[in-house]
Amino acid sequence: MTTQQGLRARKKQQTREQISHRATELFLERGFDKVTIADVAAAADVAKMTVTNYFPRKEDLALDLGEVFAEQLAAVVRGRAPGESALAALRGAYLAAVAAQDPVIGFSGAPFAKMITDSPALTARLREFHEDREAALARALAEATGAAPDDITPRVAAAQLAGVHRVLFDEILRRTLAGESGDEIATALGVYTRIAFDALEPGLGDYAVR
């Protein structure tokens, strides 16, 4: 990449972050459904078309980590260590994310959590991200195991593994809305993570070992 290309890429990233930041401020202040794309453009000092170029859907302004979220589990599986199963890799990655109180797994703070649950549009978009994440994981598992196109095993495994992550995400959201601190939630999730992943161990403990 040339210096000029690097500068353009950084400028585009800065613009994207500025739009996302201003949008989040407005959403938290007024509520997601009461803010328009025009409001966001004015706050970010850009054209309305610029906003839609970076964020084709208004929901993605609020859930700007959606692409990272959707690919998260698949990326963990692809990056698992030699001799490590998909389940073990995902367990380790999830525990690390809990320790870091990573926003991608749900540590978003009460105002943000309330914004999501108060908006049917955001709740629906989050559901789509969960579905996209499961589908991406199924593809990664199929690649990892060399599964035939008509083999449903990767999809069944992905449904279980993504389902556990979804249950834990919902638990973080519930506890956040109940007023628990990040540290309190992380402590509880340490126990729940063990329960959730242990439940999958009999069926998936030796699945997709690298």
Side-chain angles (χ1 to χ4, degrees):
M1 180 181 290
T2 67
T3 301
Q4 188 174 8
Q5 289 173 324
L7 288 172
R8 282 200 298 267
R10 283 198 296 273
K11 177 62 176 176
K12 289 177 69 173
Q13 183 60 28
Q14 287 170 356
T15 301
R16 189 183 194 283
E17 290 175 356
Q18 177 185 352
I19 293 169
S20 176
H21 179 68
R22 296 304 180 195
T24 299
E25 288 181 336
L26 290 176
F27 295 151
L28 292 176
E29 178 185 335
R30 305 180 194 174
F32 176 80
D33 296 326
K34 295 181 180 178
V35 176
T36 66
I37 295 295
D39 293 334
V40 174
D45 195 24
V46 298
K48 184 177 176 181
M49 184 175 291
T50 301
V51 176
T52 55
N53 283 341
Y54 283 96
F55 300 94
R57 295 177 61 167
K58 179 185 167 187
E59 292 84 357
D60 295 342
L61 279 163
L63 301 171
D64 62 333
L65 294 176
E67 290 184 11
V68 176
F69 181 91
E71 291 297 325
Q72 183 186 40
L73 306 187
V76 170
V77 167
R78 292 190 178 104
R80 69 198 186 287
E84 189 174 40
S85 69
L87 178 63
L90 289 166
R91 182 200 293 262
Y94 191 82
L95 285 171
V98 170
Q101 298 183 24
D102 189 345
V104 177
I105 68 166
F107 285 89
S108 57
F112 195 87
K114 188 174 187 303
M115 178 189 74
I116 292 174
T117 54
D118 282 351
S119 169
L122 284 180
T123 301
R125 185 59 173 147
L126 181 59
R127 189 180 306 117
E128 289 178 359
F129 282 135
H130 278 294
E131 292 169 354
D132 291 344
R133 182 164 70 165
E134 181 181 321
L137 177 58
R139 289 192 295 271
L141 291 171
E143 293 167 8
T145 60
D150 61 350
D151 185 354
I152 69 167
T153 306
R155 283 179 285 154
V156 171
Q160 295 177 73
L161 291 163
V164 158
H165 283 80
R166 187 167 186 165
V167 167
L168 295 173
F169 184 95
D170 290 344
E171 183 62 16
I172 293 173
L173 193 65
R174 183 189 72 78
R175 287 176 175 270
T176 299
L177 292 170
E180 293 187 25
S181 69
D183 289 344
E184 289 173 325
I185 296 171
T187 298
L189 262 290
V191 176
Y192 290 155
T193 300
R194 186 181 69 251
I195 293 170
F197 283 89
D198 282 357
L200 300 184
E201 190 70 38
L204 296 175
D206 295 325
Y207 179 66
V209 175
R210 188 163 195 170

